[in-house]
Amino acid sequence: MRIGLAGAGLACAVIARELAMQGHRVEVHERRDHVGGNCHTERDERSGVMLHRYGPHIFHTDDDDVWAYVNRFATFRPYVHRVKACVNGRVYSLPINLHTINQFAGDAMSPQQARAWVTQRSTLANEPPCSFEDQALRTVGHALYEAFFKGYTRKQWGIDPKLLPASVMARLPVRFNYNDNYFAHRHQGIPESGYTAMVARMLDHPRIGVQLGSQLGQADLGHFDHVFFSGPIDEFFGRELGMLPYRTLDFQRIDSDGDVQGCAVMNQCDEAVPFTRITEHAHFAPWETHRRSVCFREFSRAAGPQDTPYYPVHLVEGNSLLQRYQAMARDEPRVTFVGRLGTFRYLDMDMTIRHALNTAQAFQMRETVCAD
């Protein structure tokens, strides 16, 4: 079969590799001038630092098979993601942990005392939390929510936290010990040569062709037996019903001699600060040494038709427009929508790979049954 894939990010790269190994002829079309999608990395000419061009990506998973899969294509170096947060001119440890609570309270509480301190300030209710704010008030209480989450969330998503689903807050850990590892997964790391090199190795197969600067859309379906589409689902249909809500990012580069902020990520939680965080990319490769440093301020805003979409926006009330596009997608039997944008879901890299592996396997099983 002749398979077309729209996009050369993780989802399509994995599917392309798996189907090529099954004997299919695969064509990958990528509108940008590089593979890797939004996890694209490149070596900066001025500083020598490996830059995460579309924002930092840390690979973390409890899925042993996914971890083994990515290690087939890259050498992963250990990396522990530790985030700091600036609130009212003071720096705190994130995620919320015993150190954060003691810093904030100006105390030296034990885990049990800190848990009681937070519980006394939390909102108790019988009904399950519906919104981000509900979840935050029940998890960390009003004071910690106001300091660390409310302003940051309003900047990141552009709407009141009461309108975001509780699941957005539920992804954020709260710990009553001094563990400041942002992720709790068993496997964590960053590929030594960057994500783009890893994706390029996935696509390095004699039955895979890659065309950069090429866009595959609805008008190209006749050239393929099946298409996997990882772009925005509404874009595939020409946004004929309107544009789905996405957030995009603008990056303001800062070059400097030496270490700038002493950590990889510094969240700016005060709403009056116009950017959400500063990332210093030399810290994402602690095994390297550089004289110069590169930082980026991140500014979040609503994505327009010509912007790169980063985050699908989900609301407590749901999205009837998305449901209509998903109904249209079900009427396209020769197209499978994949990835964060194709499925309009927030997916970490390991989840993207897991879903891609499952999708490729399901497709091959279906084709085998049809052939029989």
Side-chain angles (χ1 to χ4, degrees):
M1 294 184 69
R2 189 179 182 194
I3 307 296
L5 296 105
L10 281 175
C12 283
V14 170
I15 293 170
R17 180 76 182 199
E18 294 303 295
L19 295 185
M21 291 175 63
Q22 294 295 332
H24 298 288
R25 290 180 299 141
V26 177
E27 286 186 22
V28 178
H29 292 254
E30 169 57 57
R31 72 177 68 185
R32 303 183 215 187
D33 62 357
H34 59 77
V35 302
N38 281 0
C39 65
H40 170 57
T41 49
E42 63 183 13
R43 187 69 68 180
D44 182 53
E45 292 183 0
R46 282 181 277 177
S47 65
V49 173
M50 182 68 79
L51 300 182
H52 297 225
R53 267 295 172 196
Y54 302 94
H57 286 74
I58 294 88
F59 200 93
H60 52 97
T61 186
D62 279 333
D63 190 323
D64 293 333
D65 292 336
V66 166
W67 181 242
Y69 188 84
V70 295
N71 276 271
R72 287 169 48 192
F73 304 101
T75 298
F76 274 76
R77 298 291 292 264
Y79 172 83
V80 176
H81 194 43
R82 293 185 171 94
V83 178
K84 303 303 177 185
C86 187
V87 180
N88 293 325
R90 300 185 65 184
V91 175
Y92 297 86
S93 173
L94 283 184
I96 298 292
N97 61 73
L98 185 55
H99 190 195
T100 320
I101 296 167
N102 277 325
Q103 284 179 296
F104 189 80
D107 208 333
M109 292 179 277
S110 68
Q112 292 76 18
Q113 290 171 327
R115 189 181 295 275
W117 187 90
V118 170
T119 300
Q120 290 169 2
R121 289 157 177 79
S122 300
T123 300
L124 301 178
N126 295 324
E127 298 296 323
C130 293
S131 71
F132 182 102
E133 183 168 282
D134 292 340
Q135 181 74 32
L137 292 176
R138 297 185 195 194
T139 305
V140 300
H142 181 79
L144 292 173
Y145 165 62
E146 290 279 340
F148 292 97
F149 299 114
K150 186 174 182 178
Y152 185 93
T153 303
R154 288 174 66 93
K155 290 189 295 185
Q156 176 70 10
W157 295 101
I159 55 178
D160 194 291
K162 294 177 182 178
L163 302 178
L164 290 169
S167 59
V168 177
M169 176 63 194
R171 291 197 298 262
L172 305 177
V174 177
R175 303 192 183 109
F176 294 96
N177 55 34
Y178 287 104
N179 178 10
D180 62 351
N181 185 342
Y182 203 84
F183 303 112
H185 294 123
R186 293 194 310 277
H187 308 295
Q188 300 180 41
I190 292 178
E192 185 175 54
S193 299
Y195 290 102
T196 298
M198 180 183 78
V199 172
R201 289 195 64 189
M202 290 180 180
L203 295 170
D204 184 12
H205 191 281
R207 282 190 288 271
I208 298 177
V210 179
Q211 296 187 35
L212 300 179
S214 175
Q215 188 167 342
L216 191 156
Q218 194 173 25
D220 303 302
L221 297 184
H223 301 299
F224 303 98
D225 297 300
H226 198 87
V227 166
F228 294 87
F229 188 83
S230 67
I233 184 173
D234 53 328
E235 182 182 283
F236 178 85
F237 295 105
R239 297 196 168 115
E240 61 180 82
L241 303 178
M243 184 175 176
L244 288 169
Y246 304 92
R247 299 294 286 178
T248 192
L249 296 174
D250 296 320
F251 299 94
Q252 183 182 77
R253 178 170 171 149
I254 306 167
D255 289 89
S256 177
D257 288 326
D259 201 344
V260 174
Q261 61 183 15
C263 64
V265 175
M266 180 76 71
N267 283 6
Q268 301 291 326
C269 299
D270 299 336
E271 193 169 0
V273 177
F275 48 92
T276 55
R277 62 182 184 177
I278 301 176
T279 60
E280 187 165 4
H281 290 223
H283 290 288
F284 295 116
W287 53 88
E288 297 181 356
T289 301
H290 300 281
R291 185 182 66 82
R292 293 185 59 79
S293 189
V294 183
C295 296
F296 291 93
R297 293 189 180 103
E298 292 187 11
F299 298 79
S300 177
R301 60 178 174 82
Q306 304 305 316
D307 290 318
T308 299
Y310 285 80
Y311 309 108
V313 180
H314 288 272
L315 303 175
V316 171
E317 63 185 18
N319 190 324
S320 60
L321 182 60
L322 173 62
Q323 294 173 355
R324 294 167 66 191
Y325 276 122
Q326 289 173 333
M328 293 170 68
R330 289 192 290 271
D331 291 333
E332 296 283 351
R334 292 169 52 216
V335 182
T336 301
F337 294 85
V338 297
R340 180 183 289 195
L341 302 178
T343 61
F344 204 79
R345 288 185 294 172
Y346 186 92
L347 297 173
D348 286 328
M349 287 186 287
D350 65 323
M351 296 171 61
T352 298
I353 291 173
R354 167 49 63 198
H355 291 160
L357 289 169
N358 292 346
T359 298
Q361 182 181 38
F363 177 81
Q364 185 59 28
M365 290 178 61
R366 188 185 71 187
E367 293 305 310
T368 301
V369 170
C370 290
D372 293 342

